[in-house]
C-alpha cells in the first residue's frame, strides 16, 4: 500500500511540475517576423558588462530595485554565447528613460550607469515570449533563439548586417528585437563592433 501512495505522490508531483512548465511557456511557439519599424527604447541608462550571461539576472535585480515598477527594463546582448567564450560575452543591462533629464537619470548616473540614445530601427527580426515567472526567462532562451536562427536560415536573411539582440521586458512579455542593420547607435559606449 505504501508503494501505491508513493506512486500517486510521484504522479501528482510530475503533473504539478508539468503544469508549471506549461504556464511558464514550455509549449509556446514564437511567431517570428521581420518588421520594418521595430520599436526600441530611445533613451536609456545602461551598465555595460563582460562575462557569463548567468550574471545578468543578478544585475537586472539590482537595477529593478533602483527604479519604479513601471520602468521598462531591457538587455542588449552583443555576442552569441555559443560562439564567444563566456568571459568575453558583452552585454548591457538597461532601463528606459524619459525624453528629458529626470531625477531617475541623475540617481542612476550617480550609481555608475551611463546614458545612451538608441537610433530608430528600420528593419529587425521580432518576436515575443510570455513572461510569467523566472522559469519563463530560461524557457525563452531555450525556445526563442533557436527559432530565430531557424527563421534566419529559412528566410535566407543577411546575417552579416545583424545588430545586437535586444530583450525588452514589458507588459508581461519578453520582446525580442534583433536589428537587421548594423548601426553604430545600437552599440553603447565601450562596445566596439567586432
Amino acid at each position: 500500500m505504501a508503494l501505491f501512495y508513493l506512486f500517486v505522490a510521484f504522479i501528482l508531483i510530475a503533473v504539478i511540475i508539468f503544469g508549471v512548465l506549461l504556464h511558464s511557456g514550455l509549449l509556446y511557439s514564437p511567431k517570428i517576423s521581420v518588421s520594418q519599424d521595430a520599436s526600441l527604447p530611445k533613451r536609456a541608462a545602461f551598465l555595460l558588462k563582460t562575462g557569463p550571461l548567468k550574471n545578468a539576472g543578478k544585475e537586472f535585480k539590482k537595477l529593478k530595485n533602483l527604479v519604479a515598477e513601471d520602468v521598462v527594463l531591457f538587455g542588449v546582448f552583443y555576442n552569441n554565447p555559443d560562439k564567444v567564450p563566456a568571459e568575453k560575452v558583452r552585454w548591457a543591462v538597461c532601463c528606459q528613460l524619459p525624453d528629458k533629464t529626470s531625477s531617475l537619470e541623475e540617481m542612476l548616473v550617480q550609481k555608475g550607469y551611463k546614458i545612451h540614445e538608441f537610433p530608430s530601427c528600420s528593419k529587425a527580426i521580432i518576436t515575443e515570449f510570455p513572461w510569467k515567472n523566472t522559469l519563463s526567462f530560461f524557457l525563452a532562451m531555450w525556445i526563442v533563439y533557436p527559432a530565430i536562427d531557424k527563421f534566419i536560415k529559412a528566410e535566407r536573411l543577411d546575417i552579416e548586417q545583424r545588430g545586437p539582440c535586444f530583450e525588452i521586458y514589458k507588459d508581461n512579455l519578453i520582446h525580442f528585437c534583433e536589428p537587421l542593420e548594423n548601426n553604430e547607435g545600437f552599440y553603447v559606449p565601450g562596445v566596439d563592433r567586432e
Side-chain angles (χ1 to χ4, degrees), residues 14 31 50 70 91 95 111 118 144 148 157 171 180-181 190:
K31 292 165 185 55
T50 301
D70 63 339
W91 46 279
C95 74
K111 300 271 186 190
F118 291 98
V144 172
I148 288 174
L157 297 174
D171 301 327
L180 289 172
E181 54 186 315

Side-chain angles (χ1 to χ4, degrees), residues 19-123:
V20 169
L21 288 169
L22 282 178
H23 175 73
S24 302
L26 177 67
L27 298 180
Y28 186 80
S29 179
K31 292 165 185 55
I32 301 170
S33 63
V34 174
S35 171
Q36 299 301 325
D37 185 27
S39 179
L40 292 176
K42 300 297 180 220
R43 284 187 86 241
F46 74 92
L47 196 57
L48 181 62
K49 294 292 186 176
T50 301
L53 290 177
K54 68 181 182 181
N55 298 334
K58 178 177 67 173
E59 294 300 328
F60 273 104
K61 282 182 185 174
K62 285 181 190 175
L63 180 56
K64 187 173 177 71
N65 289 334
L66 294 174
V67 300
E69 187 71 28
D70 63 339
V71 173
V72 174
L73 301 182
F74 64 100
V76 186
F77 301 92
Y78 294 101
N79 302 105
N80 182 338
D82 293 333
K83 297 180 179 177
V84 175
E87 67 275 1
K88 293 185 178 184
V89 173
R90 300 165 303 158
W91 46 279
V93 57
C94 313
C95 74
Q96 188 170 2
L97 294 173
D99 291 336
K100 297 185 173 62
T101 303
S102 65
S103 58
L104 171 63
E105 180 177 329
E106 292 170 2
M107 181 269 296
L108 290 171
V109 167
Q110 288 177 354
K111 300 271 186 190
Y113 288 78
K114 295 181 181 172
I115 308 303
H116 184 68
E117 292 199 26
F118 291 98
S120 296
C121 183
S122 61
K123 187 177 181 183

Side-chain angles (χ1 to χ4, degrees), residues 16-26 57 61 64 129-141 143 167 169-174 176:
I16 290 169
I17 290 172
F18 187 67
V20 169
L21 288 169
L22 282 178
H23 175 73
S24 302
L26 177 67
K61 282 182 185 174
K64 187 173 177 71
F129 193 87
W131 186 21
K132 307 282 187 180
N133 51 42
T134 303
L135 186 55
S136 296
F137 173 78
F138 294 104
L139 289 171
M141 301 308 106
I143 293 169
E167 292 177 13
Y169 309 98
K170 180 179 173 184
D171 301 327
N172 294 322
L173 294 169
I174 304 171
F176 292 82

